[in-house]
Amino acid sequence: MKKGRLVLCAAILLALVLVGCGKTAQEATVLEPEPEAIEATVVLAEETSPVAPEPEEIPEPEPLPEGAEILLFGARVSTLTDGKTLFVDCTRLEECAELDITATEDTLALGFDGQETVVSLVRSDELTVGDGFMQGGAAYVPLEALLELPGIVSGTAEDGTSYIARELALSQPAENVNVPVLMYHAVSDDLWGYWDLFVSPQTIEEELLYLQENGYETIWFEDLSHIEDYEKPVILTFDDGYDDNYTELFPLLQKYNAKATIFVIPKAIGTPHKMTAEQIYELSRSGLVSIQSHTYSHGNLSTMDEETLVFEMAESKNYLAALTGQVPYAVCYPEGTRSELSIEVAGRYYEYGLLMNGQLYNTSDDPMRVRRFYVPRGYDLGSFRWSVQGAGTNGNSFYPAALPTGKIHIASQVWNLCAKGAQIMRAVEAQTLLSRKRQLF
């Protein structure tokens, strides 16, 4: 009995244990949550290029200061300088020298008379010899670059200012061509001096009209280098640089599109009855007037020693080159006076030398002894026609209108006698003029 109770108790206890374990297992099954799905967030490193460091900003160079003024083909212009070189604005080159300028991003090409030089443009603080630069929106080039162009020269004016000028390279003219060279002085009806030096403006106009209507071409001495281009060439020369050459003559040259050569005395510029420097410069830029030398002081060359002659020739040439931007190539001997020494010295500085006594110039003649016809006041149109009718002919081949063959020899003799008589008359006129001009200077 007692044994049975023990068995029963053991059974009950076992049952309770089993029930408890089952419930625990069930609760464990119910209460134990399923593990939640945890989204895995993968952070991928962005693929980026290496970041270059910010470049340091290079400051603009300091503007170059102003340099000395120069005379650029006769015009006074300002410059910039780096302390060693003078630089000029390219726009002034176009205005004053009529250079052809072609620009790229970093170069400038300067063209003149078919030749060219190229200038590199760099920062003004990185300049080397020959470089140019930009400043204030303008391109600047060194003066040395200009001097690389053929025919461009430099010098120093009388007041110490540096100048840049053009020098022509003249070639020998074709031989044996007759070219009348006419000699005038003042052009005015205001006879303040010796009357025969003053040709009336009306007379000049009649002569210019005659030349125009009869196929004559007025040229400069530089045009003799291509004289074959002209059928009836004539050279008009005016001595001393009187102010009426600007006020009276120049408007007539413009009206008839005629060329003239004016021989100027530098020492007399701006004195009473003489042209000013400004007037001379304007004429030289007109395309109608060639400014040439009448020596520096208009002295008597036949009495001067070599040192004085060198001064007269060289100083006049330098003065006019600075003033006009064109180096003169011809000199007119004052009053026609000269010596063999003066002609030799003149030939060191000039291509042509002009006399006073009147004859027809031929291109085969000595270029330092160019003869001229003197045109005084009262010179009528018939005399003028006679003076120019040989233009473009060869040697002594020009005669009056055609004559029968049998009479040509007689006509030639008569013509030569008339020509010789005219030469004598002109020699007398020239001598009279010489004595009167000596009293004016």
Side-chain angles (χ1 to χ4, degrees), residues 43 201 340 351 380 418:
V43 179
E340 288 303 312
E351 302 292 329
D380 60 36
C418 291

PDB file of all heavy atoms in Angstrom, residues 43 201 340 351 380 418:
ATOM      1  N   VAL A  43      28.232  51.047 -47.467  1.00  0.00           N
ATOM      2  CA  VAL A  43      28.675  52.375 -47.899  1.00  0.00           C
ATOM      3  C   VAL A  43      29.907  52.219 -48.789  1.00  0.00           C
ATOM      4  O   VAL A  43      30.941  51.759 -48.336  1.00  0.00           O
ATOM      5  CB  VAL A  43      28.996  53.287 -46.696  1.00  0.00           C
ATOM      6  CG1 VAL A  43      29.465  54.644 -47.188  1.00  0.00           C
ATOM      7  CG2 VAL A  43      27.787  53.395 -45.805  1.00  0.00           C
ATOM      8  N   PRO A 201      50.781 134.058-108.166  1.00  0.00           N
ATOM      9  CA  PRO A 201      49.978 132.831-108.070  1.00  0.00           C
ATOM     10  C   PRO A 201      49.194 132.557-109.348  1.00  0.00           C
ATOM     11  O   PRO A 201      49.009 131.397-109.732  1.00  0.00           O
ATOM     12  CB  PRO A 201      49.053 133.116-106.884  1.00  0.00           C
ATOM     13  CG  PRO A 201      49.795 134.090-106.040  1.00  0.00           C
ATOM     14  CD  PRO A 201      50.537 134.952-107.018  1.00  0.00           C
ATOM     15  N   GLU A 340      84.739 122.899-106.192  1.00  0.00           N
ATOM     16  CA  GLU A 340      84.889 121.451-106.383  1.00  0.00           C
ATOM     17  C   GLU A 340      84.842 120.736-105.030  1.00  0.00           C
ATOM     18  O   GLU A 340      84.290 119.647-104.911  1.00  0.00           O
ATOM     19  CB  GLU A 340      86.198 121.155-107.111  1.00  0.00           C
ATOM     20  CG  GLU A 340      86.184 121.549-108.574  1.00  0.00           C
ATOM     21  CD  GLU A 340      85.060 120.881-109.339  1.00  0.00           C
ATOM     22  OE1 GLU A 340      84.888 119.645-109.210  1.00  0.00           O
ATOM     23  OE2 GLU A 340      84.320 121.594-110.053  1.00  0.00           O
ATOM     24  N   GLU A 351      72.322 112.566-102.912  1.00  0.00           N
ATOM     25  CA  GLU A 351      72.362 111.906-104.211  1.00  0.00           C
ATOM     26  C   GLU A 351      72.316 112.901-105.369  1.00  0.00           C
ATOM     27  O   GLU A 351      72.782 112.604-106.463  1.00  0.00           O
ATOM     28  CB  GLU A 351      71.175 110.941-104.349  1.00  0.00           C
ATOM     29  CG  GLU A 351      71.107 109.870-103.275  1.00  0.00           C
ATOM     30  CD  GLU A 351      72.233 108.875-103.379  1.00  0.00           C
ATOM     31  OE1 GLU A 351      72.691 108.621-104.505  1.00  0.00           O
ATOM     32  OE2 GLU A 351      72.668 108.360-102.327  1.00  0.00           O
ATOM     33  N   ASP A 380      56.581 134.679-119.203  1.00  0.00           N
ATOM     34  CA  ASP A 380      55.293 134.443-119.856  1.00  0.00           C
ATOM     35  C   ASP A 380      55.114 132.968-120.206  1.00  0.00           C
ATOM     36  O   ASP A 380      56.060 132.165-120.139  1.00  0.00           O
ATOM     37  CB  ASP A 380      55.128 135.321-121.091  1.00  0.00           C
ATOM     38  CG  ASP A 380      56.196 135.079-122.147  1.00  0.00           C
ATOM     39  OD1 ASP A 380      56.619 133.916-122.321  1.00  0.00           O
ATOM     40  OD2 ASP A 380      56.622 136.060-122.782  1.00  0.00           O
ATOM     41  N   CYS A 418      69.196 129.415-131.076  1.00  0.00           N
ATOM     42  CA  CYS A 418      68.201 129.958-130.142  1.00  0.00           C
ATOM     43  C   CYS A 418      68.441 129.428-128.730  1.00  0.00           C
ATOM     44  O   CYS A 418      68.347 130.165-127.746  1.00  0.00           O
ATOM     45  CB  CYS A 418      66.796 129.587-130.608  1.00  0.00           C
ATOM     46  SG  CYS A 418      66.289 130.419-132.133  1.00  0.00           S
TER      47      CYS A 418
END
